[in-house]
Amino acid sequence: MDEYGNTGEGRATRRDEAVRAAVEQGLLGPDSPIVGLLDVTGIRESAAELRAAFAEVTAPGTPVLHAFAVKATPLVPVLRLLREEGIGAEVASPGELALARAAGLSPAETVLDSPAKTPAELREALALGIAVNADNPQELDRIDGLVRSAVSRSPLGIRVNPQVGGGSIGATSTATATSKFGVALRDEGAREWVVRAYLDRPWLSRLHAHTGSQGIPLSLMTQGVAETYALAEEINRRIGRPQIDTIDIGGGLPVNFASDVTAPTYAEYARALREAVPGLFDGRYGLVTEFGRSLLAKHGTIVARVEYAKSAGGRAVAVTHAGVQVATRTVYVPGSWPLRITAYDGKGRPKSGPEVVQDVAGPACFAGDLLAEGRALPLLDQGDYAAALDTGAYYFAHHYAYNSLARPGIYGFVPDRAGGARFATVRDPQTLASIVAESGGAHAGALTTLHAPGSR
Ligand SMILES: *Cc1c(COP(=O)(O)O)cnc(C)c1O
């Protein structure tokens, strides 16, 4: 149970009803054997919890922008829904910026943070007035040139890496000593360089850090924010005025993949921050947050039909349509990214019966394409459905085109009044024509027209 007395039961009930309704309404079936489902009610709840958590700890009137890390769920309707819930966008590529703009997000609701921004991207961001955090001294040089040549309303800052250390997953630990992100603050001379950068540039008004994602303990995230705050205080003291007026604390709240309960909560994190860094919330600084996974993960479900149920070497194996193409991290690094799997029968009803240790396999042509290995579940039969839970962030929205497997359709749902669900299309299933087009179909003869000199 979380601190709101929430056991996640509502979430599980909505999910079960949506799976059954998806089968009844034909979104799922023999000819559409995999879908991604998004729980609109749950997304709205998480957005509201985020806003309330920071409203509780900030001084009245403090400007706070919650910018959803678009990479977590790069889907235009999701960005639009979040915008309606008062959430902006953190973008890290021209594609993500285009998605945010397509969703109707304004420059004032958008923050650009990528580690490899080209001059053209920087110019566009400054022309639009989008907030930019410079990753490194070379990028700051480029921004200098743009600021000299044109007036921009963009709030500008520098991203620092407080180098407080990593968490349990190396790939998502951004504050290690050698992380590729930001200015490594504890390196020799780096802190002084950052202070000078602000002293020399009265227009630098923000400071940014993102200490890591899944696997980082709250204490380490809090420490990263505390060090960033201490640096902002030092810079403002040295300059003699509050030049830094906004601190961007990044995202990274970990997600509980072990049950339907939200843990930790935004409220717990916000209170831990207030405890550790009270000055951050006394009204002298505006705040930007950049949560991704924690806003969406628990609201997504992949549901896949069991095409065949077989047995090999005494192990039951359900061959489903969900594997590496929709759960790439889980399949390649199962130890770090285990997913809960639930079993539904052919009508989409939760399956009961004795648990059997089995493999839940995907459709891709390599042996390791397993959603779950040796998992105890009611035995999956041909025509049943397996659901991979908590996949609303960094899963089905991040298609991996192995075996030219089609991107599944994604549907948002809300409960109806009759124990079922109503759906809206978020993303159409990919067509075969689109797979061919994306695979060079328009250039079919291209390579046969090239001949090395003298070869013919
Ligand atoms: C990935 C990322 C985020 C979001 O991280 P989550 O763990 O999904 O909350 C926020 N800010 C930056 C700069 C990122 O790279």
Side-chain angles (χ1 to χ4, degrees), residues 68 70-71 73-81 83 87-112 120-131 153-154:
F68 174 62
V70 171
K71 75 167 182 281
T73 311
L75 296 167
V76 173
V78 168
L79 304 182
R80 174 72 66 90
L81 174 66
R83 175 174 176 255
I87 310 282
E90 186 262 357
V91 299
S93 72
E96 289 181 0
L97 176 55
L99 298 185
R101 296 183 76 188
L105 285 141
S106 71
E109 296 165 319
T110 309
V111 178
L112 173 67
E121 282 173 66
L122 288 167
R123 199 175 314 115
E124 187 193 9
L126 266 63
L128 290 169
I130 287 170
R153 281 168 297 117
S154 291

Side-chain angles (χ1 to χ4, degrees), residues 12-31:
T13 303
R14 285 196 301 272
R15 181 173 62 230
D16 287 348
E17 290 173 355
V19 170
R20 202 185 59 233
V23 174
E24 277 169 11
Q25 296 177 33
L27 292 179
L28 260 174
D31 298 326

Side-chain angles (χ1 to χ4, degrees), residues 46-302:
S46 286
E49 284 167 17
L50 172 58
R51 286 188 327 247
F54 281 85
E56 183 191 317
V57 298
T58 45
T62 303
V64 181
L65 171 66
H66 296 296
F68 174 62
V70 171
K71 75 167 182 281
T73 311
L75 296 167
V76 173
V78 168
L79 304 182
R80 174 72 66 90
L81 174 66
L82 289 173
R83 175 174 176 255
E84 196 179 283
E85 289 292 334
I87 310 282
E90 186 262 357
V91 299
S93 72
E96 289 181 0
L97 176 55
L99 298 185
R101 296 183 76 188
L105 285 141
S106 71
E109 296 165 319
T110 309
V111 178
L112 173 67
D113 274 344
S114 86
K117 308 175 195 81
T118 64
E121 282 173 66
L122 288 167
R123 199 175 314 115
E124 187 193 9
L126 266 63
L128 290 169
I130 287 170
V132 176
N133 292 308
D135 181 84
N136 59 67
Q138 292 178 350
E139 188 173 310
L140 192 59
D141 271 352
R142 288 181 171 176
I143 293 175
D144 278 342
L146 291 166
V147 167
R148 270 195 300 272
S149 68
V151 186
S152 170
R153 281 168 297 117
S154 291
L156 299 167
I158 295 178
R159 175 171 183 173
V160 294
N161 168 9
Q163 290 168 301
V164 291
S168 60
I169 305 176
T172 53
S173 295
T174 49
T176 59
T178 57
S179 159
K180 72 174 180 182
F181 295 107
V183 177
L185 210 48
R186 294 182 188 176
D187 284 12
E188 186 157 358
R191 195 176 183 92
E192 191 52 31
W193 179 86
V194 173
V195 174
R196 281 243 69 89
Y198 282 83
L199 272 164
D200 294 344
R201 294 171 183 79
W203 40 266
L204 272 180
S205 62
R206 289 192 172 186
L207 189 63
H208 172 226
H210 167 66
T211 306
S213 293
Q214 190 68 16
I216 306 288
L218 274 198
S219 56
L220 201 64
M221 291 177 59
T222 307
Q223 192 192 339
V225 173
E227 301 216 357
T228 309
Y229 166 78
L231 176 61
E233 290 281 276
E234 178 184 338
I235 291 169
N236 284 347
R237 208 164 41 240
R238 294 263 304 265
I239 297 178
R241 68 180 183 93
Q243 180 175 319
I244 295 180
D245 60 21
T246 300
I247 297 182
D248 180 339
I249 64 170
L253 192 72
V255 165
N256 165 28
F257 283 92
S259 83
D260 277 316
V261 174
T262 300
T265 62
Y266 288 122
E268 282 160 354
Y269 181 40
R271 285 178 205 143
L273 282 174
R274 184 178 53 185
E275 181 98 341
V277 205
L280 181 57
F281 300 101
D282 64 13
R284 291 175 300 133
Y285 292 100
L287 279 180
V288 177
T289 74
E290 304 173 343
F291 296 102
R293 184 177 284 106
S294 53
L295 267 168
L296 257 295
K298 298 207 79 67
H299 311 308
T301 306
I302 298 166

Side-chain angles (χ1 to χ4, degrees), residues 370-413:
L370 301 174
L371 267 189
E373 188 172 6
R375 191 70 63 85
L377 291 169
L379 185 65
L380 285 162
D381 286 325
Q382 185 172 37
D384 286 349
Y385 293 93
L389 312 189
D390 308 322
T391 48
Y394 304 99
Y395 279 95
F396 53 74
H398 294 65
H399 190 77
Y400 172 52
Y402 199 95
N403 274 145
S404 301
L405 288 160
R407 285 190 290 265
I410 300 176
Y411 307 92
F413 66 85

